[in-house]
Amino acid sequence: MELTREQGLALLKKYNKEPFHIQHALTVEGVMRWFAKENGEDVDFWGLCGLLHDVDFENWPQEHCVKAPELLAEVNASPEMVHAICSHGYGICCDVEPTLLMEKILFAADELTGLIGAAARMRPSKSVMDMELSSLKKKFKDKKFAAGCSRDVIKTGAERLGWTLDELMEKTILAMRDCEASVAAEMEKVS
């Protein structure tokens, strides 16, 4: 039986109570759905991997991507989904390597959505809608800005995809623009 978004969201909310973590999950879901559309891939599958990528992080940060398979088993997540979700922690907290396009995008975009989100909150608009690549690149170079977002992981992610850093940033900005309104609407229900 195919995992539904409702089941995925229920699992996410079972183990994640912090609005910040839920918003991040919804954002990565939206970004992954956008990338799936762009690449003619399974939008729902890519979206669910994005939605659930940090399912274990809030309660088990020391076991991130290690505890995830146990939690994902509760909703009978497919082996492909479990592999994809765990692979976003490759070289950081687990040794599951991202090999498929979707896994590489999840690895690269996860950290980058955090940086873009932090940069958007600093803008007068508080939005990614008017964000320019040049502005994001300045924030990327400033190591003190959003210091928790690993620049090395973002660079490695672009390299694994065979993309330039600019290409990864540009596409992720577009993806976040595409889902910003729906994430905001869904967060209204959370708070």
Side-chain angles (χ1 to χ4, degrees), residues 79-158:
E80 295 80 13
M81 183 176 287
V82 173
H83 185 277
I85 288 170
C86 293
S87 75
H88 90 277
Y90 181 66
I92 308 157
C93 55
C94 79
D95 59 2
V96 178
E97 188 170 359
T99 53
L100 303 173
L101 176 65
M102 185 270 283
E103 295 169 346
K104 293 175 183 179
I105 291 174
L106 181 58
F107 177 90
D110 177 31
E111 286 291 303
L112 187 52
T113 60
L115 184 73
I116 294 171
R121 287 189 292 278
M122 300 298 289
R123 302 181 71 73
S125 65
K126 304 274 187 250
S127 170
V128 77
M129 291 305 193
D130 59 355
M131 184 179 292
E132 297 298 326
L133 178 61
S134 56
S135 158
L136 180 61
K137 285 168 73 170
K138 283 186 196 118
K139 297 291 189 197
F140 183 86
K141 285 180 185 140
D142 178 0
K143 301 282 187 258
K144 290 188 185 93
F145 180 78
C149 297
S150 169
R151 274 51 170 186
D152 289 340
V153 168
I154 295 167
K155 285 181 200 159
T156 301

Side-chain angles (χ1 to χ4, degrees), residues 14-29:
K14 178 176 176 181
Y15 294 110
N16 290 270
K17 305 298 180 211
E18 281 292 321
F20 177 83
H21 290 150
I22 294 170
Q23 183 171 4
H24 173 66
L26 293 170
T27 300
V28 176
E29 173 194 28

